[in-house]
Amino acid sequence: MPDIAFVKAALPKTGTLVVPLAEGVEPAGLFAQADKDAGGALTRALEAAGFKGRKGQATTLWALGGFTKVVAVGLGKEAELDGAAAEAAGGALIPALAQDREATVLADTLAAPLAASLGLGALLRAWRFDRYRTREKEEDKPKLERLAIAAAEPNAAKQAFAPMRAVADGVFLTRELVSEPPNILHPIEFAERCKGLEKLGVEVEVMGLKELQKLGFGAMIGVAQGSQHEPRLVVMQWKGAPKNRRGAKPMAFIGKGVTFDTGGISIKPAGGMEDMKWDMAGAGTVVGLMAALAGRRAKCDVVGLVGLVENMPSGTAQRPGDVVKTYSGQTVEVINTDAEGRLVLADVIWYAQERFQPRCMIDLATLTGAIIIALGHEHAGLFSNDDELASRIIAAGAAVGEKAWRMPLGDAYDKQIRSDIADMKNVGGRPGGSITAAQFIQRFVNVKDGPMPWAHLDIAGTAWSSKDQPTVPKGATAYGVRMLDRLVAEMGEG
């Protein structure tokens, strides 16, 4: 990835130039100077190329005005220019600079926070997962090493960029975890990587099979029992609250971490099963979030818990028809072993609230294909027992481009998971499949002392992208890291 540097506003004499421009806005600042020096050739060339300054638009001009290359990127309408538009412009410039070693961005007409957002967009788009490429052609490798952003207030832009960079590092950690192949990232390896957060100041505790058996995590162990890789529960604590707020209840985030999901005995079709390496994306998001919060030294207390298992068919695997006893004491009839994520969450969620008594809980899981049928890949499904929490999540997601859509809960759906021989069954049939899954999880939200504010994000449709997006290259999206970082900033630090 390129080094992002904020430098004094000055026009370079040669090299590659990047110019962010809004729709219908006359050239100003350094770009106006460059255009004047070139006798108006830059603006004439952009007009001839049909560049309009639309959000995310990019146009390249070659060997013009003394520069090797000039890349114009659109900021959209000036009245709507915000951080998201600047990020999109930053993302748009990366493909155009793939073969350049360095480039200068003329951001002198942008306010410092917008210049920082442009740098963030470029950084987010430039990430790539190439750990296992051994014979990639040199011409196919991106060359960009340094992006110098010429800002009117470089020190202010650099200061604004610092916490953004920390969050980006959390995003990259999540993308890396979700991209790893399942033969590498099994539950034990995943837990080991979580321990890497200790260097950021996060307290990390890992529990193995014996500890989980002693606790009584019957549902989670049932999912894992068909695999040679034992399950792990990882508890991460960031204690950043200032002295006057120490002792306040933490916010809790829980992630489903099925490092590979064959479906178990209820085995999935072969076609596309390779995608099930990212059935741990919910856990990946929680780990990335904890890294982001620690990296920017968030001033609040947060706990993150991930249940890590591999769901495999074998002679020891859980069977359809089995009944398991959860950590809460409730029993579950397992009708379908491919509805395993909710079993993992059942034990971890109950443990989280019993041990930490958090102010709120949010779980993330690539839980159901049904949510993709309902919402496609544009929104995550949001389920919650608390209107304020749900509204805050939606607003936080909208602010960073991670959209969520609230789905219903209710007694009629809850009736679909009634079992004839246990407290509940783990599926409720095809109708409303994502809703009945959320109803199942809600049964493990303790209401003994009053309703615990809780939200469930079904990210099955948003955890992975089949195409490039402005600030998200094809592949793992790290959906939720930026949304929840913003939520913590507003709820926990505000």
Side-chain angles (χ1 to χ4, degrees):
M1 287 184 296
D3 175 51
I4 307 293
F6 295 91
V7 300
K8 291 182 179 180
L11 190 65
K13 297 184 182 300
T14 60
T16 298
L17 203 64
V18 179
V19 186
L21 295 171
E23 290 184 46
V25 176
E26 292 296 319
L30 293 176
F31 178 61
Q33 179 185 330
D35 188 48
K36 182 180 178 181
D37 293 345
L42 298 180
T43 52
R44 289 196 301 272
L46 287 175
E47 184 177 352
F51 181 80
K52 302 295 184 182
R54 292 188 296 270
K55 184 177 177 180
Q57 184 182 13
T59 296
T60 299
L61 308 175
W62 295 94
L64 197 62
F67 298 100
T68 307
K69 184 163 68 175
V70 177
V71 178
V73 290
L75 293 168
K77 297 178 180 178
E78 187 177 28
E80 299 174 0
L81 180 54
D82 58 9
E87 286 178 21
L93 65 84
I94 290 299
L97 301 179
Q99 296 305 311
D100 295 272
R101 293 290 180 185
E102 58 182 54
T104 300
V105 183
L106 302 186
D108 57 304
T109 60
L110 298 178
L114 293 179
S117 291
L118 189 145
L120 174 64
L123 195 66
L124 290 172
R125 179 63 183 271
W127 182 89
R128 70 197 299 256
F129 188 75
D130 56 7
R131 178 170 297 164
Y132 302 105
R133 301 185 190 207
T134 63
R135 298 190 178 184
E136 188 176 19
K137 294 180 179 179
E138 194 62 31
E139 60 266 27
D140 293 335
K141 297 178 182 179
K143 307 290 192 301
L144 190 61
E145 297 175 354
R146 185 174 188 267
L147 195 64
I149 300 178
E153 300 178 281
N155 289 334
K158 184 178 180 179
Q159 187 175 7
F161 183 70
M164 295 180 182
R165 176 65 208 232
V167 175
D169 286 341
V171 168
F172 299 152
L173 175 57
T174 296
R175 289 181 184 174
E176 178 181 304
L177 291 169
V178 176
S179 299
E180 284 283 13
N183 62 315
I184 300 297
L185 197 76
H186 48 71
I188 299 169
E189 172 64 18
F190 196 146
E192 282 299 309
R193 296 202 188 184
C194 292
K195 292 175 70 174
L197 297 183
E198 291 176 336
K199 66 178 181 288
L200 295 175
V202 178
E203 295 180 11
V204 181
E205 178 183 358
V206 178
M207 300 183 202
L209 179 59
K210 290 183 179 179
E211 291 95 332
L212 298 177
Q213 288 173 331
K214 187 174 180 179
L215 285 169
F217 272 44
M220 181 172 160
I221 292 170
V223 175
Q225 69 188 40
S227 172
Q228 65 176 335
H229 300 297
E230 293 183 353
R232 293 290 187 268
L233 171 66
V234 182
V235 179
M236 297 160 283
Q237 298 184 63
W238 169 249
K239 298 177 180 179
K243 290 181 179 180
N244 63 342
R245 282 166 45 199
R246 286 179 185 168
K249 294 181 177 180
M251 298 176 70
F253 299 92
I254 299 98
K256 168 192 170 183
V258 180
T259 59
F260 194 75
D261 181 21
T262 66
I265 297 299
S266 305
I267 198 164
K268 295 176 180 291
M273 194 193 288
E274 67 277 5
D275 288 345
M276 290 301 96
K277 72 175 188 176
W278 47 264
D279 205 21
M280 41 57 69
T285 293
V286 171
V287 176
L289 172 65
M290 298 302 292
L293 297 174
R296 68 173 181 82
R297 318 309 290 175
K299 294 178 175 59
C300 61
D301 291 345
V302 177
V303 296
L305 299 94
V306 293
L308 307 175
V309 300
E310 185 179 53
N311 188 22
M312 299 290 284
S314 74
T316 61
Q318 185 167 250
R319 297 154 289 246
D322 283 1
V323 173
V324 294
K325 186 177 182 181
T326 68
Y327 177 68
S328 71
Q330 300 177 86
T331 56
V332 179
E333 181 185 10
V334 179
I335 301 298
N336 188 326
T337 64
D338 193 24
E340 83 300 330
R342 65 202 70 180
L343 295 172
V344 175
L345 291 173
D347 281 342
V348 181
I349 284 174
W350 194 274
Y351 179 81
Q353 60 196 329
E354 182 178 85
R355 176 173 171 180
F356 295 105
Q357 300 177 357
R359 59 181 292 188
C360 65
M361 294 191 302
I362 299 171
D363 74 78
L364 301 97
T366 49
L367 206 66
T368 68
I371 203 66
I372 302 176
I373 302 303
L375 300 176
H377 299 279
E378 303 303 315
H379 293 76
L382 169 64
F383 303 81
S384 182
N385 64 357
D386 187 275
D387 292 341
E388 181 183 359
L389 180 60
S391 296
R392 282 179 173 269
I393 291 171
I394 291 171
V400 299
E402 295 180 345
K403 296 180 286 188
W405 190 268
R406 192 173 183 185
M407 301 286 285
L409 293 165
D411 290 341
Y413 299 108
D414 198 70
K415 290 177 182 177
Q416 290 178 229
I417 59 172
R418 288 179 178 174
S419 167
D420 292 333
I421 64 169
D423 294 325
M424 69 198 85
K425 55 186 179 180
N426 73 327
V427 291
R430 288 180 63 83
S434 60
I435 305 174
T436 54
Q439 289 289 163
F440 180 92
I441 296 170
Q442 189 178 29
R443 289 198 178 198
F444 297 89
V445 178
N446 190 356
V447 296
K448 181 177 63 175
D449 302 318
M452 162 76 68
W454 157 81
H456 159 62
L457 283 163
D458 191 334
I459 62 173
T462 56
W464 191 270
S465 178
S466 60
K467 59 184 179 181
D468 288 332
Q469 301 175 51
T471 59
V472 182
K474 177 182 176 181
T477 66
Y479 177 96
V481 173
R482 297 184 64 199
M483 166 202 278
L484 298 178
D485 172 77
R486 189 178 184 95
L487 182 75
V488 170
E490 294 174 352
M491 285 186 65
E493 300 176 272

